């Protein structure tokens, strides 16, 4: 056991103890506690020692750490961002007056895209039109104060929709207010506004948040300065849709009398090279994002050793990984049905390609000093990182480049030919779409395409840091039960490799799925070479270390184990149901009552990608008639393609019978599949119950509000 000492000031000790001793000696209690035996002496000594410890706490020991608050500060604030961005008032109308703003740009964002668009738009309003714009997190202001915004100002709403047509977490206040002004018929006659919605048309409630907000504002008398528009991420068009909407907005501003200026590049962050790193820093320090914040929904990021991995596909050229991560002695906990957010790093090939294209390979180990130059800028890379660490761990260097970025890159082109090419693509949406549909254009590949021989030495590093998106986590449904495996998290990942139709027949490698494949040390089944990644090695495990955090989910089993379940999944959508069924089987084995379960599972073939088949067969044996499995195979021999939604139609009477008896229904997989299942179920309800469209919607909405119909879907 290690020894330790307290640095105590003797004079301070005396000044603290003397009053205590005088008080005790003058008190009648002192005579009472005089020891009459050895045992009494020990008791008296312990009493005095406890009193001494109580009185001196905070003075001589356990002193408050004056730097304690630093542990809770956002890293970007320590890097120079101003804390004054926090609103002094929650009344947005008052804030507009105090700051002499002409416009407020509200953002409601779940993944950060709407927030990024709002910050970009705010900067461009100022640099291009001289408009002072307040970029506002909706949660920083009382939504009721929007009604007080004067007519000389106007508001812009950038609103994302996710899940079952839900608003982002930070837009909850706006959502409640919108419902109230609709119910109470409140008037907002002075409000002038513009709106853009962010969503995915594969989802049933595509851009519902935008539609509800616009309908309520218009009904309340607000004036829409131009028709609301929708950005669609179904085909990855969000960036382009935002750019088109912004072009229309700038045309509106010109029509309102604002003069548009042509401005040269003005950095919002300063990026300077420091000294070469004396030694390689701990990779875990590099990996942690400055943008991730621990909240009630999200844990902190932890390095988790890979304890075991196995391949789930039995044939074909694809991989599907089952991976188990050890939580060890970390503070990380999870509950069955939660999500794990995996933080990947960029592959070696892309990091090296970008360094070479920028002409900075020799400076890859040099440290960077990064500081914000204005209040709206949030550094994406922690100051003190090496250039290589910034490109590997903090920036999305494998993502496609937007048309706006293509156009802006032209000013730094090393040759006249490169400048002409990028200018043409940046100004012509059709030309841009032709290029991106046939070629995977990352920043490095675009720079190489435009200038294959000359490096881009004139391209400011600040432009690269500002333009590239921050590296984001990818979420996977946890496929283990916290009841059975509380200190290990299992995840199920399909490794994605998509071929594009360019002359080189190149491949777009799924970043995180290939990162996980690399960490698993399993061989790739792909016909093409897969990327290589750097990993921190784990102790005693089979693979590397994966950086991850846990996100709470509402996709949970009912509290009562006797509640019947309808489970509908395709492919890796089965992941959370593996945990659900394992937990129910455990309870059944212990003699607890469990409800009837009907599982629909779809995949391509029973021979190649029927994941967890052996486990399901054992669960079937354990649960007996409590579990029924209905399969759908879309590429089984020469038979007609059958999808999981087709099986749901065939069994619709059974499903409705179970729902009417109080069952919970869960859908997990691609959004397009979930939308098909919803449609088929609504048709079955209308037919069986004789309901019209409105009655069917009320019936399904009622089940969803009561948590009896849940979906966990993606793209």
């Amino acid at each position: 056991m290690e020894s330790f000492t307290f640095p105590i000031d003797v004079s301070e000790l005396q000044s603290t103890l003397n009053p205590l001793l005088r008080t005790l000696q003058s008190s009648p209690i002192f005579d009472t506690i005089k020891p009459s035996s050895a045992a009494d002496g020990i008791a008296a000594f312990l009493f005095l020692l406890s009193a001494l410890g109580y009185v001196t706490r905070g003075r001589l020991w356990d002193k408050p750490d004056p730097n304690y608050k630093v542990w809770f500060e956002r890293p970007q604030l320590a890097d120079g961002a101003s804390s004054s961005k926090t609103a002094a008032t929650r009344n947005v109308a008052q804030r507009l007056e105090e700051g002499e703003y002409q416009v407020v740009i509200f953002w409601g964002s779940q993944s950060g895209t709407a927030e990024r668009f709002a910050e970009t738009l705010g900067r461009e309003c100022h640099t291009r039109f001289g408009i002072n714009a307040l970029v506002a997190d909706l949660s920083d202001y009382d939504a009721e104060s929007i009604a007080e915004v004067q007519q000389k100002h106007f508001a812009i709403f950038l609103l994302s929709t996710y899940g079952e047509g839900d608003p982002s977490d930070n837009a909850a206040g706006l959502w409640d207010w919108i419902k109230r002004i609709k119910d109470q018929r409140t008037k907002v006659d002075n409000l002038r506004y513009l709106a853009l919605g962010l969503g995915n048309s594969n989802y049933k409630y595509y851009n519902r948040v935008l539609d509800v907000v616009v309908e309520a504002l218009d009904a309340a008398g607000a004036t829409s300065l131009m028709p609301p528009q929708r950005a669609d991420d179904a085909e990855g068009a969000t960036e382009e849709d935002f750019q088109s909407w912004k072009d229309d907005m700038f045309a509106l501003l010109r029509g309102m009398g604002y003069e548009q200026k042509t401005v040269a590049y003005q950095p919002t962050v300063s990026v300077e090279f420091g000294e070469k790193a004396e030694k390689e820093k701990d990779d875990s320090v590099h990996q942690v994002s400055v943008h991730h914040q621990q909240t009630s929904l999200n844990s902190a990021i932890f390095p988790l050793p890979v304890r075991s991995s196995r391949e789930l596909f039995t044939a074909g050229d694809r991989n599907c990984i089952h991976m188990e991560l050890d939580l060890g002695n970390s503070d990380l906990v999870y509950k069955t049905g939660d999500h794990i957010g995996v933080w990947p790093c960029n592959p070696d090939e892309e990091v090296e390609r970008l360094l070479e294209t920028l002409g900075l390979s020799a400076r890859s180990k040099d440290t960077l000093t990064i500081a914000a130059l204005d209040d709206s800028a949030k550094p994406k890379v922690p100051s003190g990182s090496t250039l290589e660490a910034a490109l590997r761990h903090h920036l999305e260097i494998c993502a496609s480049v937007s048309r706006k970025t293509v156009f802006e890159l032209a000013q730094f082109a090393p040759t006249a030919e490169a400048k002409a090419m990028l200018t043409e693509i940046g100004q012509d949406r059709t030309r841009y779409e032709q290029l991106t549909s046939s070629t995977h254009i990352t920043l490095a590949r675009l720079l190489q395409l435009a200038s294959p021989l000359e490096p881009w030495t004139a391209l400011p590093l600040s432009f690269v840091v500002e333009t590239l998106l921050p590296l984001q986590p990818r979420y996977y449904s946890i496929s283990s039960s916290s009841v059975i495996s509380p200190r290990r998290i299992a995840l199920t990942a399909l490794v994605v490799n998509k071929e594009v139709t360019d002359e080189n027949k190149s491949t777009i490698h799924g970043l995180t799925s290939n990162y996980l494949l690399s960490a698993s040390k399993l061989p790739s089944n792909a016909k093409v070479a897969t990327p290589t990644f750097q990993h921190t090695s784990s102790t005693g495990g089979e693979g590397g270390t994966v950086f991850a955090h846990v996100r709470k989910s509402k996709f949970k089993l009912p509290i009562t184990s006797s509640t019947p379940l309808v489970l509908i999944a395709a492919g890796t959508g089965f992941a959370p149901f593996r945990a659900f069924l394992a937990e129910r089987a455990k309870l059944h084995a212990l003699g607890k009552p469990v409800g009837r379960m009907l599982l629909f599972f779809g995949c391509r073939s029973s021979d190649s990608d029927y994941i967890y088949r052996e486990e399901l067969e054992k669960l079937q044996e354990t649960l007996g008639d409590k579990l029924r499995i209905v399969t759908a195979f879309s590429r089984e021999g020469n038979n007609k393609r059958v999808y999981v939604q087709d099986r749901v139609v065939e069994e619709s009477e059974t499903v409705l019978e179970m729902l009417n008896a109080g069952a919970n229904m869960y859908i997990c997989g691609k959004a397009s599949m979930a939308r098909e299942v919803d449609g088929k179920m609504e048709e079955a309800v209308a037919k069986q119950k004789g309901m019209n469209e409105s009655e069917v919607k009320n019936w399904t909405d009622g089940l969803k509000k009561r948590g009896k119909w849940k979906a966990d879907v993606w793209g």
Side-chain angles (χ1 to χ4, degrees):
M1 180 176 179
E2 294 183 2
S3 62
F4 58 92
T5 58
F6 293 108
I8 297 177
D9 188 319
V10 174
S11 61
E12 186 178 358
L13 177 63
Q14 290 176 336
S15 63
T16 301
L17 293 182
N18 286 339
L20 173 63
L21 292 172
R22 286 195 296 271
T23 301
L24 284 172
Q25 289 171 347
S26 63
S27 172
I29 298 176
F30 187 77
D31 295 328
T32 306
I33 64 173
K34 285 182 179 179
S36 59
S37 66
D40 288 344
I42 294 172
F45 173 75
L46 291 175
F47 172 78
L48 290 172
L49 187 63
S50 299
L52 175 65
Y54 179 80
V55 172
T56 59
R57 182 180 182 184
R59 301 181 187 180
L60 304 180
W61 67 280
D62 195 26
K63 292 183 179 181
D65 181 357
N67 298 314
Y68 180 70
K69 62 179 175 45
V70 173
W71 289 97
F72 303 96
E73 289 181 350
R74 295 187 178 184
Q76 54 264 41
L77 293 183
D79 287 338
S82 172
S83 61
S84 65
K85 288 182 286 184
T86 302
T89 174
R90 291 190 60 82
N91 185 306
V92 70
Q94 182 181 338
R95 183 80 174 106
L96 288 171
E97 289 292 334
E98 291 174 349
E100 298 183 351
Y101 296 104
Q102 291 122 297
V103 59
V104 55
I105 305 172
F106 290 113
W107 57 266
S109 182
Q110 197 69 13
S111 64
T113 303
E115 178 183 6
R116 177 169 54 84
F117 285 171
E119 291 168 352
T120 299
L121 187 60
R123 286 194 297 270
E124 292 195 34
C125 281
H126 179 70
T127 57
R128 294 178 183 273
F129 294 94
I131 296 174
N132 194 15
L134 171 64
V135 179
D137 180 337
L138 278 163
S139 64
D140 284 344
Y141 296 93
D142 295 325
E144 292 83 356
S145 65
I146 296 174
E148 301 175 27
V149 173
Q150 298 182 29
Q151 199 166 26
K152 64 181 180 179
H153 303 125
F154 63 94
I156 299 171
F157 295 90
L158 303 180
L159 303 171
S160 65
T161 299
Y162 81 104
E164 293 292 301
D166 301 315
S168 58
D169 293 338
N170 75 311
L174 173 71
W175 196 243
D176 291 340
W177 177 66
I178 285 295
K179 291 179 180 177
R180 288 199 300 275
I181 67 171
K182 187 175 181 180
D183 294 340
Q184 300 169 7
R185 299 184 179 180
T186 305
K187 289 296 180 183
V188 289
D189 297 339
N190 287 329
L191 182 65
R192 300 186 300 157
Y193 78 95
L194 299 87
L196 173 70
L198 279 64
N200 187 314
S201 59
N202 284 332
Y203 287 75
K204 182 178 180 180
Y205 297 101
Y206 169 57
N207 265 312
R208 175 172 177 258
V209 173
L210 173 76
D211 295 339
V212 170
V213 170
V214 166
E215 180 184 355
L217 291 178
D218 289 350
T223 301
S224 177
L225 296 177
M226 71 181 197
Q229 294 182 28
R230 295 159 182 78
D232 187 4
D233 198 42
E235 299 298 331
T238 298
E239 292 277 349
E240 185 57 45
D241 290 340
F242 170 66
Q243 185 65 36
S244 296
W245 174 83
K246 191 171 63 172
D247 290 344
D248 292 343
M249 176 190 158
F250 286 174
L252 171 71
L253 293 177
R254 292 193 296 270
M256 293 169 67
Y258 291 100
E259 181 182 353
Q260 184 171 357
K261 310 168 189 173
T262 301
V263 294
Y265 167 64
Q266 296 178 351
T268 60
V269 294
S270 167
V271 182
E272 302 290 342
F273 277 111
E275 298 296 323
K276 187 177 291 292
E278 293 182 5
K279 61 179 180 178
E280 198 63 33
K281 291 184 179 180
D282 179 8
D283 198 44
S284 63
V285 176
H286 286 169
Q287 186 89 13
V288 179
S289 169
V290 295
H291 285 266
H292 179 74
Q293 296 295 324
Q294 183 175 355
T295 66
S296 59
L297 293 177
N298 295 288
S299 75
I301 302 172
F302 288 89
L304 304 178
V306 178
R307 286 304 179 223
S308 66
S309 302
R310 70 178 191 268
E311 176 61 51
L312 296 176
F313 286 170
T314 56
D317 58 0
R318 300 185 302 158
N319 290 86
C320 188
I321 307 165
H322 173 88
M323 177 179 286
E324 296 192 3
L325 304 173
D326 191 355
L327 305 188
N329 296 320
S330 71
D331 295 331
L332 193 62
V333 295
Y334 77 100
K335 297 295 183 183
T336 304
D338 283 345
H339 302 139
I340 182 168
V342 176
W343 293 80
C345 66
N346 290 306
D348 298 338
E349 296 85 350
E350 286 297 323
V351 174
E352 293 165 5
R353 189 198 309 267
L354 186 51
L355 285 169
E356 181 181 352
T357 306
L358 295 174
L360 294 173
S361 297
R363 308 206 68 174
S364 65
K365 302 299 182 183
D366 289 5
T367 58
L368 300 176
T369 301
I370 301 175
L373 296 177
D374 64 52
D375 286 352
S376 67
K378 294 181 180 179
K380 304 167 190 174
V381 178
S383 196
S385 298
T386 64
L387 174 58
E388 181 183 344
L391 300 182
R392 188 180 302 281
H393 297 298
H394 295 284
L395 300 171
E396 287 269 15
I397 68 172
C398 294
S400 295
V401 179
S402 69
R403 182 163 61 93
K404 172 178 177 289
T405 300
V406 175
F407 181 77
E408 291 176 343
L409 280 168
Q411 63 188 300
F412 307 112
T415 66
E417 294 77 11
K419 182 175 183 178
M421 173 188 171
L422 295 178
T423 301
E424 178 190 353
I425 296 172
Q427 290 179 331
D428 188 338
R429 178 170 182 171
T430 302
R431 176 82 173 83
Y432 170 79
E433 290 178 345
Q434 288 173 346
L435 176 66
T436 54
S437 64
S438 61
T439 309
H440 182 43
I441 295 296
T442 64
L443 177 61
R445 296 183 189 198
L446 176 66
L447 299 181
Q448 282 185 334
L449 180 67
S451 178
L453 300 178
E454 292 290 329
W456 287 66
T457 53
L459 180 60
L461 199 51
S462 58
F463 182 91
V464 176
V465 172
E466 287 177 313
T467 302
L468 292 172
L469 303 179
L471 197 59
Q472 294 288 338
R474 274 62 165 178
Y475 288 97
Y476 295 87
S477 297
I478 294 175
S479 53
S480 56
S481 162
S482 59
V483 173
I484 299 171
S485 179
R487 301 311 299 161
R488 281 200 181 187
I489 283 180
L491 63 86
T492 309
L494 175 68
V495 180
V496 179
N497 295 297
K498 180 183 176 182
E499 292 186 6
V500 291
T501 58
D502 62 358
E503 59 183 17
N504 297 320
K505 294 184 178 179
S506 58
T507 302
I508 302 175
H509 299 285
L511 178 63
T512 308
S513 60
N514 277 281
Y515 166 74
L516 290 172
L517 177 62
S518 175
S520 74
K521 304 295 178 66
L522 293 169
S524 172
N525 294 331
K527 296 177 181 177
V528 296
T530 55
T532 56
F533 297 85
Q534 283 191 7
H535 291 281
T536 304
S537 60
S538 61
T539 304
E542 293 185 3
T545 296
V546 170
F547 289 82
H549 76 275
V550 168
R551 181 177 71 181
K552 291 182 181 179
S553 166
K554 296 179 181 179
F555 203 69
K556 302 294 186 185
L557 279 167
I559 296 174
T560 307
S561 62
S562 58
T563 302
L565 305 178
V566 178
L567 311 174
I568 303 169
T572 55
F574 175 68
F577 300 153
R578 175 180 182 265
F580 286 9
L581 293 174
E583 205 161 295
R584 281 286 177 96
K586 181 72 171 179
L587 292 172
H588 182 68
L590 295 172
K592 303 291 184 181
V594 297
R596 175 185 175 192
M597 289 166 283
L598 176 59
L599 168 67
F600 294 91
F601 174 70
C603 61
R604 292 184 180 183
S605 168
S606 60
D607 296 330
S608 61
D609 58 355
Y610 190 165
I611 60 175
Y612 300 112
R613 182 171 186 169
E614 292 182 0
E615 287 187 25
L616 270 174
E617 290 172 351
K618 289 180 181 178
L619 286 168
Q620 181 78 79
E621 291 177 9
T622 302
L623 291 163
D625 60 3
K626 291 292 183 180
L627 173 63
R628 182 181 166 214
I629 303 171
V630 179
T631 55
F633 304 113
S634 61
R635 302 187 187 181
E636 188 82 297
N638 296 321
N639 296 333
K640 176 186 175 183
R641 293 192 172 191
V642 179
Y643 297 96
V644 70
Q645 54 265 33
D646 300 321
R647 295 301 191 204
V648 172
V649 172
E650 294 172 2
E651 299 287 341
S652 59
E653 287 189 17
T654 303
V655 173
L656 289 175
E657 174 195 331
M658 293 179 68
L659 289 175
N660 291 333
N664 281 18
M665 185 167 75
Y666 301 84
I667 306 170
C668 188
K670 286 189 175 181
S672 54
M673 179 275 292
R675 186 180 59 190
E676 288 283 335
V677 169
D678 280 6
K680 299 296 185 184
M681 285 302 304
E682 289 171 355
E683 289 175 10
V685 171
K687 182 178 180 181
Q688 187 184 96
K689 295 180 177 288
M691 293 179 175
N692 59 34
E693 184 177 344
S694 176
E695 291 170 332
V696 169
K697 186 179 185 304
N698 290 336
W699 183 80
T700 56
D701 286 349
L703 288 176
K704 291 174 180 178
K705 286 179 181 177
R706 298 197 306 273
K708 307 296 286 184
W709 181 328
K710 296 185 177 183
D712 187 1
V713 299
W714 57 86

